[in-house]
Amino acid sequence: MKRKLLLWSFLLILISTIVMSGIISVIGKSKIENSLELQQNEVLLQLRNNFKIFDELLNNIENKMIVDMTSSLKEICNEIILKESWQTLPDLELRKIADKYNVNEIYLIDKEGTVFNTTFAPDINFNLKTINDEFASFIQSIYGKGEVFNSRI
């Protein structure tokens, strides 16, 4: 009888341990999954916020570049046109103007979209209209307007 009682006690302890382990395992798994989901959502929210900040920063930089570019391009254009033979200015003369206005390159483009003079010699005779049809239409629409236009090729 003592032996049976001991056996039943052992089985009761074993079964309750197994049941408790199962319950703890299910609860633990649920908590871990919830924690992981919260962490994933937090990381996604941080990424969205960081991308939003980055996008705003790029937008501010682009807007400043457009303002600076508009001002510089008008001044560069006026300076080049004042030159006697502006269509055939030596690249060193164009480079001096580019450096004066802190721009990387200067391109002089004819009505057909071909670069006829530039500070970047490899692009001489390059036709900008060959980049793609959309850009070709853009070049055609702005040529001779006397205004500064911005494009993201």
Side-chain angles (χ1 to χ4, degrees), residues 90-143:
D91 60 343
L92 287 175
E93 185 74 26
L94 281 177
R95 173 54 48 207
K96 285 180 186 175
I97 295 170
D99 292 343
K100 177 180 177 181
Y101 292 98
N102 197 29
V103 297
N104 294 335
E105 307 297 342
I106 294 177
Y107 285 77
L108 302 180
I109 304 161
D110 65 18
K111 188 172 185 164
E112 287 75 38
T114 302
V115 177
F116 66 86
N117 200 354
T118 179
T119 52
F120 188 65
D123 280 351
I124 293 280
N125 295 320
F126 175 66
N127 190 321
L128 296 174
K129 291 182 178 180
T130 62
I131 293 174
N132 65 39
D133 291 339
E134 184 181 342
F135 192 66
S137 296
F138 173 73
I139 292 289
Q140 189 67 37
S141 73
I142 66 169
Y143 188 84

Side-chain angles (χ1 to χ4, degrees), residues 17-102:
T17 303
I18 291 172
V19 169
M20 290 302 284
S21 294
I23 291 171
I24 291 171
S25 173
V26 169
I27 291 172
K29 182 181 176 192
S30 174
K31 285 189 177 218
I32 289 172
E33 286 173 350
N34 288 342
S35 176
L36 285 174
E37 187 175 339
L38 286 173
Q39 287 176 357
Q40 285 175 339
N41 289 338
E42 189 174 315
V43 167
L44 286 174
L45 183 62
Q46 287 174 352
L47 282 172
R48 280 191 196 114
N49 289 337
N50 288 342
F51 277 120
K52 184 177 179 183
I53 290 168
F54 183 69
D55 190 47
E56 289 173 3
L57 178 66
L58 286 179
N59 188 43
N60 289 339
I61 291 170
E62 180 183 26
N63 288 338
K64 184 181 181 330
M65 285 174 60
I66 290 170
V67 169
D68 292 346
M69 176 186 70
T70 301
S71 171
S72 294
L73 282 177
K74 287 179 181 178
E75 292 174 24
I76 290 169
C77 183
N78 289 335
E79 186 166 334
I80 289 174
I81 288 176
L82 291 177
K83 304 288 182 188
E84 199 168 298
S85 55
W86 63 271
Q87 288 101 341
T88 57
L89 279 176
D91 60 343
L92 287 175
E93 185 74 26
L94 281 177
R95 173 54 48 207
K96 285 180 186 175
I97 295 170
D99 292 343
K100 177 180 177 181
Y101 292 98
N102 197 29

Side-chain angles (χ1 to χ4, degrees), residues 9-24:
S9 296
F10 176 74
L11 283 174
L12 185 61
I13 292 171
L14 181 63
I15 291 172
S16 61
T17 303
I18 291 172
V19 169
M20 290 302 284
S21 294
I23 291 171
I24 291 171

